[in-house]
Amino acid sequence: MSTPLAEVLEGQHSAELRKAARALLKEPLLLAHGPRSDDFRLVRRHASELRAWFDRNTGWSLHVDAEAARLRKIPGCPADPTHPAREVGRAGAPFTRRRYVLLCLALAALERSEAQIALGRLADQVVMDAADPHLVAAGIHFTLDRRDERLDLAAVVKLLLSLGVLRRVAGDEEAYVSGAGDVLYDVERRVLAGLLATRRGPSTVRADTFDGRLAELTADTALDSEDLRFRAMRRSLTRRLLDDPVLYYDELTDAELAYLTRQRGFLIARITELTGLVAEVRAEGIAMVDPDDDLTDVRMPEQGTHGHVTLLLTEHLAAADEPVTIGDLQRKVRELTATYGGFWAKSAKEPGAEGELVEQALAKLTALGLITRHGDAIAPRPALARYAVGEAVVLEPRNRRMPQQRKASKQ
């Protein structure tokens, strides 16, 4: 029997809605022009349903116009430092504090600029704004006379280019860094206006400390009724299930844990229906696993030398009965070099390279919620057991094959 047309259309609609939602979760800022234009058109087509779902379940607002679609995501854990902005390019170095300050100053200058601006002019505005007494008191000082300072500003500009805030008209950033030229940009004001993702304007915040200001920027409205408190918990838990690699029960308050225990099936079903993520529920927590391996900025396992070293150290940590020190891990890498060095990049086998290899591995494992780090001590978290190597399995004699090792599936 042929499938009724209504079912076919409903299936197509659900597939499109899921694809649009996944596009927004992967890139919360989509432009009408560029490599993600097809995703933008899909989001615009389903904007009403997406806006309602994200508002009800996460508290994230969705703004869509003719130029851009912006999902204003507020992280489940706003103070989490493990997923920083990164330099555009192959290296992908995380932004330093200096670059974050430059980014904020550049955005403020662009807000006041004309429709076009030169990089040299932007630099002058940044230096002028950095002279603010409050910034000086905080130890912020820029001259942009040195090459390393100009490299920092160029990295900020490249990030803004990738986001679509700027569009290069003439010139290139390398000429500016070397002092041999300038660059001209168009300023995309609609995209610029949509970057800020807070529940209130920063100028209205009165707290003095960083944690206090962050809390005010992201706080829900007054929770003066039981319904509002339940709504806030539903949104917070859904945000964390969508954003965090693992939601551990021991990180929740008693009220949040009680709510999650009652509503777990409902929350998971809503997320799976929209996104296709599949829940892996364990005694210690919940991980929403992506069968398509697409909705993540940190992959495990990963190809290349760093990916291989990270996986080998992960197996070592999963087998540890107590916290391991960084020195222990560096010694382990030196041991592994003798066995696997022939498959690694030449630079990974140089004396002293184990320090960088360990640091990169630990940064990835922390971002994935697989370890905790306290000073020099590294302790595995429950989800790390998924990467442990099990006991050898001896097959029946009639099989006449070598014993095999069972390895936990990879997230």
Side-chain angles (χ1 to χ4, degrees):
M1 296 178 61
S2 60
T3 304
L5 178 59
E7 291 185 21
V8 173
L9 294 176
E10 183 179 355
Q12 291 177 346
H13 175 84
S14 297
E16 282 192 358
L17 185 63
R18 175 175 294 182
K19 186 177 179 180
R22 289 173 63 90
L24 280 173
L25 291 172
K26 187 175 181 179
E27 296 286 347
L29 176 60
L30 294 171
L31 306 181
H33 306 287
R36 304 296 301 276
S37 59
D38 289 344
D39 289 334
F40 166 79
R41 286 191 288 271
L42 202 58
V43 168
R44 194 177 186 191
R45 187 181 308 157
H46 298 281
S48 179
E49 287 178 88
L50 292 168
R51 187 180 296 112
W53 194 96
F54 283 115
D55 178 67
R56 172 174 172 75
N57 294 284
T58 65
W60 296 337
S61 63
L62 173 63
H63 176 77
V64 182
D65 59 28
E67 299 296 328
R70 174 69 164 120
L71 179 63
R72 292 187 173 93
K73 291 179 63 180
I74 296 175
C77 298
D80 178 10
T82 61
H83 297 270
R86 293 188 175 275
E87 183 177 347
V88 176
R90 192 168 185 178
F95 264 37
T96 60
R97 178 174 181 264
R98 181 182 191 83
R99 289 187 176 183
Y100 276 119
V101 174
L102 275 174
L103 175 61
C104 294
L105 292 173
L107 289 171
L110 291 172
E111 185 68 28
R112 305 188 304 267
S113 74
E114 302 294 335
Q116 287 190 329
I117 190 170
L119 183 48
R121 174 61 177 165
L122 178 60
D124 292 340
Q125 289 290 330
V126 166
V127 171
M128 187 182 305
D129 291 345
D132 181 281
H134 293 89
L135 293 177
V136 173
I140 304 300
H141 177 70
F142 296 113
T143 64
L144 298 179
D145 291 334
R146 302 196 314 268
R147 176 181 173 84
D148 63 314
E149 290 185 314
R150 295 195 297 273
L151 275 171
D152 284 337
L153 182 59
V156 166
V157 166
K158 288 177 181 178
L159 177 63
L160 295 176
L161 285 166
S162 70
L163 292 172
V165 175
L166 296 176
R167 186 166 58 85
R168 191 185 295 109
V169 176
D172 67 83
E173 290 73 32
E174 299 305 320
Y176 166 78
V177 170
S178 63
D182 209 340
V183 196
L184 181 65
Y185 305 103
D186 284 336
V187 181
E188 302 294 339
R189 295 210 164 275
R190 286 190 175 181
V191 181
L192 174 63
L195 279 189
L196 190 63
T198 62
R199 290 198 171 93
R200 57 187 294 183
S203 62
T204 67
V205 172
R206 296 290 176 258
D208 295 327
T209 65
F210 173 78
D211 290 339
R213 293 180 64 83
L214 190 59
E216 285 192 29
L217 281 170
T218 59
D220 279 309
T221 54
L223 306 178
D224 52 6
S225 73
E226 190 173 75
D227 286 344
L228 289 177
R229 286 191 289 273
F230 284 153
R231 185 186 69 176
M233 280 190 282
R234 181 181 70 244
R235 287 175 167 180
S236 175
L237 291 168
T238 303
R239 288 196 297 267
R240 296 186 66 174
L241 287 168
L242 285 171
D243 257 4
D244 297 351
V246 184
L247 174 62
Y248 287 106
Y249 298 142
D250 61 10
E251 296 176 337
L252 304 177
T253 66
D254 290 343
E256 288 174 329
L257 182 57
Y259 182 86
L260 179 59
T261 301
R262 295 193 307 269
Q263 301 292 331
R264 185 179 69 190
F266 170 77
L267 294 177
I268 288 174
R270 296 280 289 179
I271 293 173
T272 299
E273 180 183 13
L274 182 74
T275 67
L277 297 176
V278 178
E280 184 175 293
V281 181
R282 298 291 180 94
E284 302 84 5
I286 304 172
M288 299 302 298
V289 180
D290 183 14
D292 296 332
D293 190 28
D294 187 46
L295 295 183
T296 182
D297 58 342
V298 182
R299 282 183 165 78
M300 177 78 179
E302 192 175 39
Q303 298 293 324
T305 298
H306 288 291
H308 190 205
V309 171
T310 300
L311 184 59
L312 292 171
L313 290 181
T314 301
E315 294 174 346
H316 175 68
L317 284 166
D321 296 326
E322 57 186 18
V324 177
T325 67
I326 292 177
D328 294 334
L329 295 178
Q330 291 177 351
R331 285 190 289 274
K332 183 64 177 178
V333 169
R334 289 194 289 270
E335 294 174 9
L336 293 170
T337 302
T339 304
Y340 300 103
F343 302 99
W344 295 352
K346 182 179 179 180
S347 59
K349 294 175 283 186
E350 295 178 355
E354 64 272 9
E356 180 187 353
L357 292 170
V358 168
E359 285 299 324
Q360 290 203 17
L362 294 180
K364 175 170 288 190
L365 296 179
T366 303
L368 289 170
L370 299 177
I371 62 170
T372 55
R373 182 173 179 176
H374 300 287
D376 190 51
I378 311 300
R381 304 202 71 183
L384 194 74
R386 303 178 87 247
Y387 297 87
V389 177
E391 297 294 329
V393 179
V394 181
L395 301 180
E396 295 295 329
R398 65 177 181 274
N399 211 314
R400 296 184 180 277
R401 293 174 62 188
M402 295 292 290
Q404 297 181 348
Q405 285 183 319
R406 290 184 298 186
K407 187 175 295 183
S409 61
K410 304 299 187 294
Q411 182 170 339

